[in-house]
Amino acid sequence: MDVGFVGLGAMGQGMARSLLRAGHRVSVWNRSPAKAEALAGEGAQAVRSPAEAARGGLAITMVADDAALEAVTSGEDGVRAGLPRGGLHLSMSTVSPATTARLAKAHAAAGQALLAAPVFGRPDAAAAAKLFVLAAGPADALERARPLLEAMGQRVFPLGDDPAHASLVKLTGNFLITTVIEALAEACALVEKGGIPPARLVEILTQSLFAAPVYQGYGKTLVEERFSPAGFALPLGAKDNRLLLQAAEAAGVPMPLASLVRDRMIAALARGWADLDWSSFGRLSREDAGLAKGPPARAGT
Amino acid sequence: MDVGFVGLGAMGQGMARSLLRAGHRVSVWNRSPAKAEALAGEGAQAVRSPAEAARGGLAITMVADDAALEAVTSGEDGVRAGLPRGGLHLSMSTVSPATTARLAKAHAAAGQALLAAPVFGRPDAAAAAKLFVLAAGPADALERARPLLEAMGQRVFPLGDDPAHASLVKLTGNFLITTVIEALAEACALVEKGGIPPARLVEILTQSLFAAPVYQGYGKTLVEERFSPAGFALPLGAKDNRLLLQAAEAAGVPMPLASLVRDRMIAALARGWADLDWSSFGRLSREDAGLAKGPPARAGT
Amino acid sequence: MDVGFVGLGAMGQGMARSLLRAGHRVSVWNRSPAKAEALAGEGAQAVRSPAEAARGGLAITMVADDAALEAVTSGEDGVRAGLPRGGLHLSMSTVSPATTARLAKAHAAAGQALLAAPVFGRPDAAAAAKLFVLAAGPADALERARPLLEAMGQRVFPLGDDPAHASLVKLTGNFLITTVIEALAEACALVEKGGIPPARLVEILTQSLFAAPVYQGYGKTLVEERFSPAGFALPLGAKDNRLLLQAAEAAGVPMPLASLVRDRMIAALARGWADLDWSSFGRLSREDAGLAKGPPARAGT
Amino acid sequence: MDVGFVGLGAMGQGMARSLLRAGHRVSVWNRSPAKAEALAGEGAQAVRSPAEAARGGLAITMVADDAALEAVTSGEDGVRAGLPRGGLHLSMSTVSPATTARLAKAHAAAGQALLAAPVFGRPDAAAAAKLFVLAAGPADALERARPLLEAMGQRVFPLGDDPAHASLVKLTGNFLITTVIEALAEACALVEKGGIPPARLVEILTQSLFAAPVYQGYGKTLVEERFSPAGFALPLGAKDNRLLLQAAEAAGVPMPLASLVRDRMIAALARGWADLDWSSFGRLSREDAGLAKGPPARAGT
């Protein structure tokens, strides 16, 4: 298929490469052009605007936040201006349900469709085409996009025809990951002060009741305090937490555990950890237990 | 082997039967004798005191809390009085590290050993000999007990020679389960108010990043609000939370997430849910979101 | 002095009347004109737009939130368009520091000044000219506005020349009030279950260490559960809490107690209490303790 | 009157001196005898046991915690053994309602009475006879003790005939003080990062809605970070918080704000602040906001 790909960050690069590997013709655009040129050397075609990327009728966006998505979608250089009638915007960024709903409406008014398809997985999963894809929007849009989604992910989970639902489930999933980080962090601090190696705790947990990738991955990260380089940076995690809490407030749902994570993340940012992985807030449990001293280690230092 | 088994509650019954199935000779004692008699019909020998159960040199205890463990261990009818020198107390209840340490010391003074071996798993896992066993105490005690542990569980995790460590890891594991309940409960309330079936959320999570038994089991329980009959009753869960917070305070570890769960459990008990499963506190997230009305359903009503 | 008054809600009415009583010439505007006409019968002059109210060179605004303040300030009918160069906008609403800063800049660009002067006190204090006024902005603006502020309040607290500071202190004060509500609510639930009349607790506290108006007022409200009619409605309180948390996040300050209040307020709104006083979230402590049943009483029902 | 005084810590000394000043005959006992001898030089009579102090028929106890109160009350050297039938134990320590109830019962069985009379106020208030006294127990016991209570305090608040009620209200009052500390600490961190001197915030608050001694005193302590020497040491504060949470759990009352304070106190103790004033946990808000660096200042260093 002909597809435009907008947004070549750590995630987008891997996803665009997955499409190329699967034989699709991919035109790419990125705010800083160097990344697009790198992809061009691998068979993609670099174009000069999101609008141009969208001209073939199907554009994927994978950008950092709601504002960036608005910026590449709207305006005369945006995806909406470039897409023909009948075109499809495959919106894969993690954004608020409200933004997704607003853009879906604007596309519909232009005779276009929006399929929201945010993903679970970090850059390594993107590179290996092992993402989990949530997909919500018109049924025919999903069928049209399916070959692309399957080229980028290991599994696609349909979520019905309201695109905002995919955004909400994505934020909810990220929330659940943060609860694992907080829970493991508190648990590790406790056993460490009790004289038990936290690595042993994580080993036992992940070989019994908690044998899930998320406990294995973050358990290891927390025990080794390997927060740098960041797989998913703390400010982005804080952004997702903020979007979740806004959605929860709008829906009338108190989420005290999400509030707890919020305060942890702000405290971590206030310590100057914006360059670290979002899981670094878990280190605060060690600080509060009197275990951690000094700043966390940075890669290459 | 000859083994005495003290405590035939929902867990103990299944564990004693596993021992019988594996060909061990089991003498049993329970505070209310009817349960011991039932086991006697299946090949066990009912005895008249924990001391008598311990006479053969190896006694297992599986009781509800620290006080019950003290009661069956100490005094002239207790395990310690019954065990010969060189005897082994296999203490499998979930109790505080402090109680475990105190009993270990008392046994040592009597020339006996204590191996702490609490388990992960609910009554169905006990019945199916699928428990996960944590084991800490003298190395030779572990080797001696291993055939019994393997008859009751699917896997044994050694935790070194300090028996209190097994109790601490067990409490920590139960804490982590409660964090899953709270996290899922908040997440389900959010998506439910957003128009997405919570069952669909749980399905997606447990087929992607959260493919662990604990998310599958409690996800289903929460979505179906099937809190009755209780697999593990709320007052017992509240007891474990209390022991955890006490251990954490003694160790100097603040655990705000455990505190959050504490307040949830107290609120659930204050609503009269003492007969329900400990996961019933997850229903408070739906109440707080204005979703749940009226008391939760009880089995058979 | 000649002064325009924009916003005749429960607070604004009392404040405008205080100005009239002090002999100032007041032109009034309100979104729904009936209230302006009522004031006209007491000596004020009803005008047709915020701009017209501002024409005399000094306009006071007292509206519900940031959006309303933006609406009456900007645009061709707004205060900024009406004020002459050298004019003064006395902004008394509770809004975000960011909004205050942005409006101050826009006024400065128009050769005008903004003095932020939010107040502590409820409608009865507004009617009695007993408000406490926080004031920040250019020193000469404060001197110019002082006779008006003193006509409306019992005391003026200068806060320097940055108008945003007054907004921040005002939000902080409201936060502190919510902490009193939450603290008293938990305390009253505890003693009530312990068999002590909560009214007796409040009486003792407010005659000893907590002899402050805020404990007296909210203590009485909580004990009597007199949340209706609302002196300050819950959605407005939730708005202030939201602004506070946003300012705190922007400043890098975790505020777990404000987060706790946030979750309480959302839970109260989810129960349908939007018509009640903001202190009604304190009732949740009684619900969580199993004390309160059924919806809170409404005035006149 | 003839009165025995047991426990001459920072509080007890001032209280015993108030009794001497009022003309009462006071026999004193303290675990470490040096303090009793100091009082002896001021007109008191040092005795050799709590029992001996109680022989005259009325004994006051003012000790650190439940265990110390048990120790000076029970046993052959204890107050109960020394008091004649008809004697009165005036129990002024801050202890759990459960301990108070148990001791009251034991005294009643011995034909004696217990009046629980814990106090609000720090050592300076004790020295100045400015304490606030809560009093619960048999009505005639209160009348008998009144001259003593009035010699030590500025006001006596009767709380009915159940002695445990005085203990519960005392713990509740201490809880409320901790909520003021936490609230002020968060508020001060916010305005400090916003560029406003926290001292100015405290000044404004305590001259308007929060004009209560507790805001004035702790506001000043927090702003100046004057946590050393401790007026009321952190471990004692943590003890009171623990007793409160135990009483709340027993009564079925979730108190999330008390839980928040609990976690703060544990974090402060884990940082090595056991020698500091209990309000020192408020400094954690500055740490979490990235403001405080290094350990807090100690007196004389």
Side-chain angles (χ1 to χ4, degrees):
Chain A
M1 295 173 66
D2 283 309
V3 54
F5 201 105
V6 172
L8 298 168
M11 294 295 292
Q13 284 179 50
M15 294 159 72
R17 285 198 179 94
S18 295
L19 295 173
L20 288 170
R21 268 201 313 277
H24 299 288
R25 288 173 301 282
V26 186
S27 51
V28 293
W29 181 87
N30 193 62
R31 199 175 42 172
S32 54
K35 287 176 179 168
E37 283 151 23
L39 264 289
E42 302 174 37
Q45 182 187 355
V47 296
R48 277 172 300 180
S49 69
E52 198 177 331
R55 218 136 272 163
L58 200 159
I60 296 174
T61 50
M62 187 65 183
V63 295
D65 56 25
D66 292 59
L69 179 58
E70 279 282 9
V72 300
T73 302
S74 305
E76 59 183 29
D77 286 336
V79 164
R80 199 160 58 236
L83 273 186
R85 288 187 73 81
L88 174 60
H89 179 181
L90 191 46
S91 174
M92 302 187 74
S93 315
T94 300
V95 294
S96 69
T99 291
T100 294
R102 196 171 52 247
L103 293 184
K105 205 170 153 188
H107 279 297
Q112 306 163 353
L114 180 140
L115 184 79
V119 299
F120 289 126
R122 288 163 62 114
D124 54 345
K130 293 283 188 196
L131 297 169
F132 293 104
V133 184
L134 309 168
D140 55 348
L142 172 55
E143 285 325 299
R144 187 169 160 195
R146 191 178 283 276
L148 303 171
L149 299 178
E150 290 178 348
M152 293 182 282
Q154 63 176 289
R155 182 147 179 185
V156 178
F157 296 100
L159 267 162
D161 57 9
D162 182 345
H165 283 183
S167 297
L168 186 60
V169 169
K170 165 63 184 168
L171 292 174
T172 303
N174 275 15
F175 157 66
L176 285 165
I177 296 172
T178 62
T179 70
V180 171
I181 296 169
E182 175 67 23
L184 280 176
E186 294 187 15
C188 286
L190 177 62
V191 300
E192 183 176 349
K193 273 200 123 170
I196 302 161
R200 181 67 181 139
L201 173 71
V202 170
E203 194 176 31
I204 291 172
L205 296 170
T206 55
Q207 290 175 9
S208 56
L209 300 180
F210 299 89
V214 72
Y215 282 86
Q216 286 152 347
Y218 286 106
K220 192 175 157 64
T221 301
L222 286 170
V223 166
E224 301 177 356
E225 299 213 324
R226 199 178 295 183
F227 304 127
S228 169
F232 183 58
L234 185 54
L236 290 173
K239 179 262 294 177
D240 288 357
N241 173 267
R242 189 185 314 122
L243 295 180
L244 177 93
L245 285 171
Q246 285 170 354
E249 185 180 354
V253 181
M255 297 184 75
L257 187 32
S259 293
L260 169 55
V261 169
R262 173 190 187 274
D263 291 318
R264 291 289 206 196
M265 286 179 161
I266 296 175
L269 288 168
R271 277 163 172 78
W273 299 354
D275 61 313
L276 299 184
D277 193 68
W278 71 330
S279 57
S280 60
F281 76 80
R283 191 179 196 258
L284 297 173
S285 291
R286 297 187 75 237
E287 288 199 8
D288 279 343
L291 288 165
K293 306 265 190 266
R298 256 72 177 192
T301 61
Chain B
M1 296 174 67
D2 283 309
V3 54
F5 201 105
V6 173
L8 299 168
M11 294 295 292
Q13 284 179 49
M15 294 159 73
R17 285 198 179 94
S18 296
L19 294 173
L20 288 170
R21 269 202 313 275
H24 299 286
R25 287 173 302 281
V26 186
S27 52
V28 293
W29 182 87
N30 192 64
R31 199 174 43 173
S32 54
K35 287 177 180 168
E37 283 152 25
L39 265 288
E42 304 175 36
Q45 182 186 356
V47 296
R48 276 171 302 180
S49 69
E52 199 177 330
R55 218 135 271 164
L58 200 159
I60 297 175
T61 50
M62 186 65 183
V63 294
D65 56 26
D66 292 59
L69 179 58
E70 278 284 8
V72 299
T73 302
S74 304
E76 58 183 30
D77 285 337
V79 165
R80 199 161 57 237
L83 272 186
R85 287 189 73 82
L88 174 60
H89 179 182
L90 190 46
S91 174
M92 303 187 73
S93 316
T94 300
V95 294
S96 70
T99 291
T100 295
R102 195 172 52 248
L103 293 185
K105 206 171 154 188
H107 279 297
Q112 306 162 354
L114 180 140
L115 184 77
V119 298
F120 288 126
R122 290 163 62 115
D124 54 345
K130 294 282 188 197
L131 297 168
F132 294 103
V133 184
L134 309 168
D140 55 349
L142 173 54
E143 285 325 299
R144 188 168 159 196
R146 191 178 284 276
L148 303 171
L149 299 178
E150 290 179 348
M152 294 182 282
Q154 63 176 289
R155 182 149 180 183
V156 178
F157 297 99
L159 265 162
D161 57 9
D162 182 345
H165 284 184
S167 297
L168 185 60
V169 169
K170 165 62 184 170
L171 292 175
T172 303
N174 274 16
F175 157 66
L176 286 165
I177 296 172
T178 63
T179 70
V180 171
I181 295 168
E182 175 66 24
L184 280 177
E186 295 187 13
C188 286
L190 176 62
V191 301
E192 183 175 348
K193 272 200 123 169
I196 302 161
R200 181 67 181 138
L201 173 71
V202 170
E203 194 176 32
I204 291 173
L205 295 171
T206 55
Q207 290 175 9
S208 56
L209 300 180
F210 299 88
V214 72
Y215 283 86
Q216 285 152 348
Y218 286 105
K220 190 174 158 67
T221 301
L222 287 170
V223 165
E224 301 177 356
E225 298 212 326
R226 199 179 295 184
F227 304 127
S228 170
F232 183 58
L234 184 54
L236 291 172
K239 180 261 294 177
D240 288 356
N241 174 267
R242 189 185 314 120
L243 295 180
L244 178 94
L245 285 171
Q246 285 169 356
E249 184 179 354
V253 181
M255 298 185 74
L257 186 33
S259 293
L260 168 55
V261 169
R262 173 190 188 274
D263 292 318
R264 291 290 205 194
M265 286 178 162
I266 296 174
L269 288 168
R271 278 164 172 76
W273 299 354
D275 61 314
L276 300 184
D277 193 69
W278 71 329
S279 57
S280 60
F281 76 80
R283 190 178 198 257
L284 297 172
S285 291
R286 298 187 73 237
E287 287 199 8
D288 279 342
L291 287 166
K293 305 266 191 266
R298 256 73 177 190
T301 61
Chain C
M1 295 173 66
D2 283 309
V3 54
F5 201 105
V6 171
L8 298 168
M11 294 295 292
Q13 284 178 50
M15 294 159 73
R17 285 197 179 95
S18 295
L19 294 174
L20 288 169
R21 269 201 313 275
H24 299 287
R25 287 172 303 280
V26 186
S27 50
V28 293
W29 182 88
N30 192 62
R31 199 175 43 171
S32 54
K35 287 178 180 168
E37 283 152 25
L39 264 288
E42 303 175 36
Q45 183 188 354
V47 296
R48 277 171 301 178
S49 69
E52 198 176 331
R55 215 133 274 161
L58 200 159
I60 297 174
T61 51
M62 187 66 183
V63 294
D65 55 26
D66 292 58
L69 179 58
E70 278 283 8
V72 300
T73 302
S74 304
E76 60 183 28
D77 285 337
V79 164
R80 199 161 57 238
L83 273 186
R85 288 186 73 83
L88 173 60
H89 178 182
L90 190 47
S91 174
M92 303 187 74
S93 314
T94 299
V95 293
S96 70
T99 292
T100 296
R102 194 172 54 248
L103 293 184
K105 206 171 154 187
H107 279 298
Q112 305 162 355
L114 179 141
L115 185 77
V119 299
F120 289 127
R122 288 163 61 114
D124 55 344
K130 292 283 188 195
L131 297 169
F132 294 104
V133 184
L134 308 168
D140 55 347
L142 173 54
E143 285 325 299
R144 186 168 160 197
R146 192 178 282 276
L148 303 172
L149 298 178
E150 290 178 347
M152 293 181 282
Q154 63 176 290
R155 182 147 179 187
V156 178
F157 297 100
L159 266 162
D161 56 10
D162 182 346
H165 284 183
S167 297
L168 185 60
V169 169
K170 165 63 183 168
L171 292 175
T172 303
N174 275 16
F175 158 66
L176 286 165
I177 296 172
T178 62
T179 70
V180 171
I181 295 168
E182 175 66 23
L184 280 176
E186 294 186 13
C188 286
L190 176 63
V191 301
E192 183 176 349
K193 272 200 124 172
I196 303 161
R200 181 66 181 138
L201 173 71
V202 170
E203 193 177 33
I204 291 173
L205 295 171
T206 55
Q207 290 174 10
S208 56
L209 300 180
F210 300 88
V214 72
Y215 283 84
Q216 286 153 347
Y218 286 105
K220 191 173 158 65
T221 301
L222 286 170
V223 166
E224 301 177 355
E225 298 213 324
R226 199 178 295 184
F227 304 127
S228 169
F232 183 57
L234 184 54
L236 291 173
K239 180 262 293 177
D240 288 358
N241 174 267
R242 188 185 315 122
L243 295 179
L244 178 94
L245 284 171
Q246 285 170 355
E249 184 179 354
V253 181
M255 298 184 76
L257 187 33
S259 293
L260 168 55
V261 168
R262 173 189 187 275
D263 292 318
R264 290 291 205 195
M265 287 177 161
I266 295 175
L269 288 168
R271 277 164 172 76
W273 299 354
D275 61 313
L276 299 184
D277 193 69
W278 71 330
S279 57
S280 59
F281 76 80
R283 192 177 195 258
L284 297 173
S285 291
R286 298 188 73 238
E287 287 198 8
D288 279 342
L291 287 165
K293 306 264 191 267
R298 256 73 178 191
T301 63
Chain D
M1 295 171 70
D2 283 308
V3 55
F5 202 106
V6 173
L8 299 168
M11 294 295 291
Q13 284 179 48
M15 293 158 74
R17 285 197 179 95
S18 295
L19 294 173
L20 288 171
R21 269 202 313 275
H24 299 287
R25 287 173 302 281
V26 186
S27 51
V28 293
W29 182 87
N30 193 62
R31 201 176 40 171
S32 54
K35 287 177 180 167
E37 284 151 24
L39 264 289
E42 303 175 38
Q45 183 187 354
V47 295
R48 277 171 300 179
S49 69
E52 198 178 330
R55 217 134 274 161
L58 199 159
I60 297 174
T61 50
M62 186 66 183
V63 294
D65 55 26
D66 292 58
L69 179 57
E70 278 283 8
V72 300
T73 302
S74 303
E76 60 183 28
D77 285 337
V79 164
R80 199 160 58 235
L83 274 186
R85 286 187 75 81
L88 174 60
H89 179 182
L90 190 46
S91 174
M92 303 186 74
S93 316
T94 299
V95 293
S96 69
T99 291
T100 295
R102 196 172 51 248
L103 293 184
K105 207 171 153 187
H107 279 298
Q112 305 163 353
L114 180 140
L115 185 77
V119 299
F120 289 127
R122 290 164 60 115
D124 55 344
K130 293 284 188 195
L131 297 168
F132 294 102
V133 185
L134 308 168
D140 55 349
L142 172 54
E143 284 325 300
R144 188 168 159 195
R146 191 178 283 278
L148 304 171
L149 299 178
E150 290 179 346
M152 295 181 282
Q154 63 176 289
R155 181 148 181 187
V156 178
F157 297 99
L159 266 162
D161 56 10
D162 182 346
H165 284 184
S167 297
L168 186 59
V169 169
K170 165 63 184 169
L171 292 175
T172 303
N174 275 16
F175 157 66
L176 286 164
I177 296 172
T178 63
T179 70
V180 171
I181 295 168
E182 175 66 23
L184 280 177
E186 295 187 13
C188 286
L190 176 62
V191 300
E192 183 176 348
K193 272 199 123 170
I196 302 161
R200 181 66 181 139
L201 173 71
V202 170
E203 193 176 33
I204 291 172
L205 295 171
T206 54
Q207 290 174 10
S208 56
L209 300 180
F210 299 88
V214 73
Y215 283 85
Q216 284 152 349
Y218 286 105
K220 189 174 159 66
T221 301
L222 285 170
V223 166
E224 301 178 356
E225 298 211 324
R226 199 178 296 185
F227 305 127
S228 171
F232 182 58
L234 185 54
L236 291 172
K239 180 261 296 177
D240 288 357
N241 173 267
R242 188 185 316 121
L243 296 180
L244 177 94
L245 285 171
Q246 284 169 355
E249 184 179 355
V253 181
M255 298 184 75
L257 187 32
S259 293
L260 169 55
V261 168
R262 173 190 186 275
D263 292 318
R264 290 291 205 195
M265 286 178 161
I266 295 175
L269 288 168
R271 278 164 171 76
W273 298 355
D275 62 313
L276 300 184
D277 193 69
W278 71 331
S279 57
S280 60
F281 77 79
R283 192 178 196 256
L284 296 173
S285 292
R286 297 188 72 239
E287 288 198 8
D288 278 344
L291 287 166
K293 307 264 192 267
R298 256 73 178 190
T301 62

